[in-house]
Amino acid sequence: MVEPIRMSTREEREQWLREAHYNVFQLKAEQVYIDLLTDSGTGSMTDRQWSAMMLGDESYAGAKSFYHFEETVQRILGLKYVIPTHQGRAAENVLFSFLVKEGDIIPGNAHFDTTKGHIEARHAHAVDVTTDDAKDTQKEVPFKGNVSLEKLEKVLKENPGRVPFMVLTVTNNTVGGQPVSMKNIKETCVLCHRYDVPVVMDSARFAENAYFIKMREPGYANKTIKEIVREMYEQVDAATMSAKKDAIVNMGGFIATNRKDWFEGAKFFCIPFEGYVTYGGLNGRDMEAIAVGLDENTEFDMLQTRVHQVRHLAEKLDEYGIPYQRPAGGHAIFVDADKVLTHVPKEEFPAQTLTCELYLEAGIRACEIGYMLADRDPDTHENRFCGLDLLRLAIPRRVYTDNHMDVVAAALKNVYDRRESITRGVAIEWEAPLMRHFTVQLKRLG
Ligand SMILES: *Cc1c(COP(=O)(O)O)cnc(C)c1O
């Protein structure tokens, strides 16, 4: 399906952005020309997915569509117990309600914002154990999303009895859609299990991760994506999944686990939060679409086309000398805003400022994955300026052409060319205590 898009004038965009308090989440979609805010729930479904939706069984309990969905998750991931949820954060909410207690420590390779939010909202701590490779955007290593085993072991050793599980995120979204190698997945799981700590795979982009294992890791070139996926999940105890990414549906998610005790515990929270355990916040037709999407998107050709489009945008940025997290990841290009807007002090949020500049330039909506998203430290209430400050250009699946990517790159080049003249950023006028980036209200300085 296609939809018409409309060009706007710079004057219109100035006004709309002011009305949105310089937060692109608060723009209307109609005010956006090319929307790279997220690849979550924004993909186009296939003819087979649309057909499957017509077969949706909307029975309250035990719907045929649930069993079709459950069988597909079991076959593709190899995990036994499946609970549907309305999206990924709902899977986190249900599972963490059972597993996370106040004061717990949950290590992970750069927790996703909602994952961190669900941990911190329960007065527990999310500790980042990503490899230091990820901090240097210009360093080219094949698996920049990896876990640092030293950092992980330190956390496990120092906190006996306080670590209910570890979160292994594939691909590592927060550091730039960077993959985790099979070797690192295995070593991480062996280490956790040695300390009796289970591993939950945060699975939003598991298929893209499997693609990178096939393309970059010795020994996997001749394995199918489905074989690699099975091997990934053989290592872990459970998965939380946002089906809005690699299952290519508009809404959906699930929990899957081999642990009966977790399944029973999570079911208890699914019913009040999400709904009865055979629909968990989803329509029967949604579960049909997820089932088909999981099957289709664990095939090589689909993933190859997608990752090549991301690389096409990266190659354009290379041509213009614009720095981004290297190498190009699976679902997005993450521009290193600190290196672009070098005159904007970090207290004035360079990446957030760059989202405003790119929108004003060409009506392109990107997303800040930086100091704004990092929220304040829950103990000191200071801004967290320790990580990367990135502008994410997330590419919806099967929606835009490479021509759109060329327009995005050209617009970014125009901003890049006048970067020396951008000396002031934004200041916070109002913010929420958690996950502030969605609703924050800003003013422009200077
Ligand atoms: C999107 C995402 C989530 C949350 O999923 P939603 O469907 O948006 O609620 C969790 N973890 C990762 C890594 C994600 O990319």
Side-chain angles (χ1 to χ4, degrees):
M1 218 172 288
V2 297
E3 64 179 298
I5 49 179
R6 166 185 177 283
M7 287 206 224
S8 51
T9 64
R10 183 155 185 128
E11 288 68 40
E12 285 176 317
R13 294 193 294 274
E14 296 268 6
Q15 189 196 328
W16 292 335
L17 193 60
R18 202 177 321 114
E19 287 166 0
H21 303 279
Y22 299 95
N23 177 354
V24 293
F25 277 101
Q26 288 172 46
L27 289 168
K28 293 179 179 155
E30 277 177 337
Q31 298 166 339
V32 175
Y33 184 47
I34 297 176
D35 203 347
L36 305 188
L37 184 68
T38 177
D39 64 324
S40 179
T42 54
S44 301
M45 292 203 294
T46 61
D47 50 354
R48 279 184 277 176
Q49 285 179 294
W50 282 111
S51 320
M53 288 183 77
M54 293 296 145
L55 302 174
D57 174 1
E58 306 301 343
S59 304
Y60 189 94
K64 207 161 59 197
S65 299
F66 169 74
Y67 292 106
H68 181 206
F69 161 81
E70 182 190 45
E71 175 279 319
T72 309
V73 175
Q74 288 167 339
R75 174 167 49 81
I76 291 185
L77 303 193
L79 297 171
K80 194 161 162 193
Y81 303 107
V82 183
I83 300 177
T85 61
H86 80 273
Q87 60 185 101
R89 69 198 65 187
E92 292 164 356
N93 189 33
V94 168
L95 186 62
F96 294 5
S97 291
F98 175 59
L99 292 178
V100 180
K101 309 273 176 299
E102 185 170 339
D104 281 350
I105 310 273
I106 293 138
N109 53 335
H111 308 70
F112 182 67
D113 57 353
T114 64
T115 319
K116 179 161 64 78
H118 277 303
I119 292 169
E120 292 180 349
R122 290 174 172 81
H123 305 286
H125 303 272
V127 180
D128 181 25
V129 294
T130 310
T131 149
D132 285 334
D133 286 341
K135 286 188 188 153
D136 178 357
T137 59
Q138 300 312 294
K139 186 166 174 181
E140 295 255 3
V141 294
F143 293 102
K144 237 176 173 173
N146 277 357
V147 172
S148 156
L149 298 171
E150 297 80 68
K151 289 188 201 175
L152 175 61
E153 180 145 34
K154 188 163 181 289
V155 176
L156 297 174
K157 203 180 268 170
E158 287 173 1
N159 299 286
R162 290 177 69 199
V163 185
F165 59 93
M166 185 258 175
V167 183
L168 181 56
T169 305
V170 294
T171 58
N172 187 327
N173 181 354
T174 309
V175 304
Q178 296 291 328
V180 180
S181 71
M182 187 70 84
K183 180 165 179 283
N184 191 254
I185 292 172
K186 288 183 177 173
E187 288 173 348
T188 296
C189 293
V190 167
L191 178 60
C192 283
H193 292 153
R194 200 183 324 131
Y195 283 85
D196 248 339
V197 169
V199 178
V200 176
M201 195 170 266
D202 184 352
S203 306
R205 299 180 185 81
F206 75 102
E208 289 168 12
N209 200 86
Y211 170 86
F212 284 117
I213 288 174
K214 180 177 171 71
M215 303 309 281
R216 294 182 183 172
E217 190 160 351
Y220 289 92
N222 296 322
K223 294 212 158 99
T224 65
I225 298 294
K226 284 191 166 66
E227 286 167 344
I228 296 171
V229 166
R230 281 297 285 257
E231 195 174 327
M232 284 163 58
Y233 285 93
E234 272 164 22
Q235 319 304 320
V236 301
D237 300 271
T240 52
M241 171 78 177
S242 168
K244 302 172 69 166
K245 284 74 169 237
D246 273 354
I248 321 190
V249 293
N250 304 119
M251 196 57 73
F254 58 83
I255 299 164
T257 180
N258 278 332
R259 291 188 57 147
K260 189 151 196 301
D261 55 335
W262 284 18
F263 176 58
E264 297 299 337
K267 268 198 320 200
F268 177 80
F269 291 99
C270 180
I271 294 171
F273 291 165
E274 292 292 292
Y276 184 61
V277 293
T278 60
Y279 72 86
L282 292 175
N283 297 303
R285 55 184 177 271
D286 297 334
M287 291 189 278
E288 294 287 352
I290 293 172
V292 175
L294 281 173
D295 230 334
E296 287 183 337
N297 200 36
T298 44
E299 291 296 326
F300 181 76
D301 292 350
M302 165 59 215
L303 290 160
Q304 166 105 326
T305 307
R306 161 145 185 82
V307 173
H308 278 193
Q309 185 168 51
V310 177
R311 202 169 72 197
H312 175 86
L313 178 57
E315 283 165 359
K316 279 280 161 194
L317 299 195
D318 284 340
E319 208 176 290
Y320 303 143
I322 301 171
Y324 60 87
Q325 175 69 293
R326 310 185 72 89
H331 67 287
I333 294 297
F334 291 67
V335 177
D336 191 343
D338 255 345
K339 288 194 166 60
V340 174
L341 297 184
T342 50
H343 300 323
V344 176
K346 62 176 186 288
E347 293 74 18
E348 296 180 11
F349 302 99
Q352 183 69 31
T353 306
L354 195 53
T355 65
C356 294
E357 290 294 337
L358 183 62
Y359 176 72
L360 293 174
E361 180 64 33
I364 295 160
R365 176 156 70 171
C367 184
E368 194 251 23
I369 303 280
Y371 303 144
M372 195 65 74
L373 177 115
D375 272 335
R376 289 173 190 272
D377 184 288
D379 299 324
T380 66
H381 296 283
E382 293 296 323
N383 281 307
R384 291 190 268 212
F385 292 122
C386 44
L388 294 169
D389 197 36
L390 306 169
L391 169 90
R392 182 181 75 177
L393 303 162
I395 304 178
R397 294 165 183 78
R398 310 186 284 225
V399 171
Y400 291 118
T401 65
D402 288 357
N403 274 337
H404 291 96
M405 298 304 119
D406 293 347
V407 172
V408 171
L412 203 57
K413 177 185 187 301
N414 290 346
V415 175
Y416 189 65
D417 286 348
R418 57 179 167 79
R419 65 190 181 281
E420 300 288 326
S421 67
I422 304 167
T423 57
R424 299 301 306 268
V426 293
I428 295 174
E429 290 202 305
W430 180 86
E431 66 184 292
L434 265 182
M435 288 186 257
R436 63 182 179 183
H437 59 291
F438 290 116
T439 51
V440 71
Q441 297 184 358
L442 304 164
K443 67 169 183 229
R444 283 223 77 161
L445 300 167

